[in-house]
Amino acid sequence: MTRVKRIKGKQSQYLYYLAKFEQDLNINEIASDITEKSQPKQQSKKQTYSEKNLHKLLSSYLKNKKIYTKTILHEESKNSKDDHQKWIHPDMIGIEFLNLTSKVNKAFIKILNKSDTFKLTSYEIKKEINTDYELKKYYFQAVSNSSWANYGYLVALEINDNLKDEMQRLNESFCIGIIELKSNPYESEILFQSKFKELDFKTIDKLCKVNEKYENFIEMTERMLTIDKRNYKSVENELSSFCDEYFKNDSEVKEYCKKHFIPFDEDEEIEYCTKKIF
């Protein structure tokens, strides 16, 4: 008579037991349990957001500051597989028209000092900046991608507070600003201001040649600056339609974050004022 019996487990492993205790054991249940535990566990894939999902948050924050923005997709450019081009493309460009509230003196201001009429800004967007390595990598990407613009910013939704000193050092040395984006976009904060520099028209020309949307944005900017009083509103509406979408109310923000798995504090109230949006 067999004194020891066994149950096959994971791979070639076996569970042994004394035959005399067989009636006291629920062999079928034990065998099922062993089989279940031996099966490789499938890890549930964490659903998360992409960098592109952050563009609408940033465009809403900037629209609230009267800045028109347009997302520029590297993959839509000519020769988009060329790695060298990745470091000239901004993720988003923005323009703020200055001193245009008074239509009477608008043309006069442009003639006297064009730098007081508008400013072009480049934005490099990242999901998070957690390490010193990530900070430097993303920061110098922003430096390269914003070489053409008056101002340049590195933007991220999640930023490690321990990196603030290094951010300040980089900002003082290379002039690129840093924005901490919030899931409630109207609470986003400029941690370090970008510093003004003259436009690089050679790089602007290069970007216009390789990316149609960038060229269209620059063309519309030129039209806004040279349009006469009668047609100003129609061109402004055309520019607004061409630019990135933004949130119209607070419920849209919550629904968007939930849909795209962007971390959002449900207890947080969104201070949204439609009067600020023009």
Side-chain angles (χ1 to χ4, degrees), residues 99-112:
N99 299 317
L100 294 183
T101 53
S102 175
K103 296 179 181 178
V104 176
N105 69 354
K106 181 182 65 174
F108 186 55
I109 290 175
K110 285 191 297 182
I111 294 171
L112 292 178

Side-chain angles (χ1 to χ4, degrees), residues 127-139:
K127 293 170 61 177
E128 54 191 15
I129 306 174
N130 289 319
T131 66
D132 184 75
Y133 169 78
E134 289 178 343
L135 172 61
K136 288 184 171 62
K137 176 183 177 181
Y138 300 152
Y139 193 90

Side-chain angles (χ1 to χ4, degrees), residues 138-153:
Y138 300 152
Y139 193 90
F140 288 109
Q141 186 176 355
V143 169
S144 177
N145 289 348
S146 65
S147 64
W148 57 273
N150 294 131
Y151 298 91
Y153 280 96

